[in-house]
Amino acid sequence: EVQLVESGGVMVQPGGSLRLSCAASGFTFSAYDMSWVRQAPGKGPEWVSAMQTYGDSTYYIDSVKGRFTISRDNAKNLVILQMNSLQLEDTAVYYCNAIYGNGATALGWGQGTQVTVSS
């Protein structure tokens, strides 16, 4: 069974930092590019970041460039999203997602972890 388990989301103040983790199992982790997707209430999904299978290339949406860093450890089936200088607009549920090379979703999302940025 494919499992993607996100964790690390909490409430933080603007300017704070969080480290989100996604633990993957049930598939060949190193065979897939991985991404982080977020969805705020009433809004559609937004692809925040992605990393190729062995970390050769990364993608970030413009709004998080310079603040977020994606990384992965294929030996541990783990993908990380380090988020710094958090803003109110970063509030969302963050999901781990395995994708194909063209960006299309390959496997189902995880259950998500809630990030709330509030003063």
Side-chain angles (χ1 to χ4, degrees), residues 80-109:
I80 303 296
L81 186 67
Q82 177 67 47
M83 306 186 296
N84 299 324
S85 302
L86 284 162
Q87 303 169 1
L88 298 178
E89 294 77 14
D90 296 318
T91 296
V93 179
Y94 284 71
Y95 300 91
C96 184
N97 191 23
I99 59 175
Y100 295 115
N102 65 356
T105 298
L107 303 171
W109 300 4

Side-chain angles (χ1 to χ4, degrees), residues 3-22:
Q3 287 191 298
L4 298 166
V5 182
E6 300 93 339
S7 62
V10 296
M11 178 181 290
V12 297
Q13 293 184 335
S17 297
L18 285 176
R19 178 183 169 93
L20 304 184
S21 297
C22 172

Side-chain angles (χ1 to χ4, degrees), residues 1 34 37 40 56 59 75 77 79 85-86 88 97 107 114:
E1 178 183 357
M34 296 297 296
V37 183
D56 293 347
Y59 159 83
N77 287 8
V79 59
S85 302
L86 284 162
L88 298 178
N97 191 23
L107 303 171
Q114 175 72 51

Side-chain angles (χ1 to χ4, degrees), residues 4-66:
L4 298 166
V5 182
E6 300 93 339
S7 62
V10 296
M11 178 181 290
V12 297
Q13 293 184 335
S17 297
L18 285 176
R19 178 183 169 93
L20 304 184
S21 297
C22 172
S25 61
F27 65 99
T28 304
F29 181 75
S30 62
Y32 292 89
D33 297 348
M34 296 297 296
S35 69
W36 285 94
V37 183
R38 67 186 181 188
Q39 188 164 16
K43 299 181 66 176
E46 183 178 47
W47 261 253
V48 174
S49 184
M51 175 170 280
Q52 288 187 323
T53 53
Y54 290 91
D56 293 347
S57 183
T58 56
Y59 159 83
Y60 298 96
I61 192 170
D62 285 345
S63 62
V64 309
K65 288 180 178 178

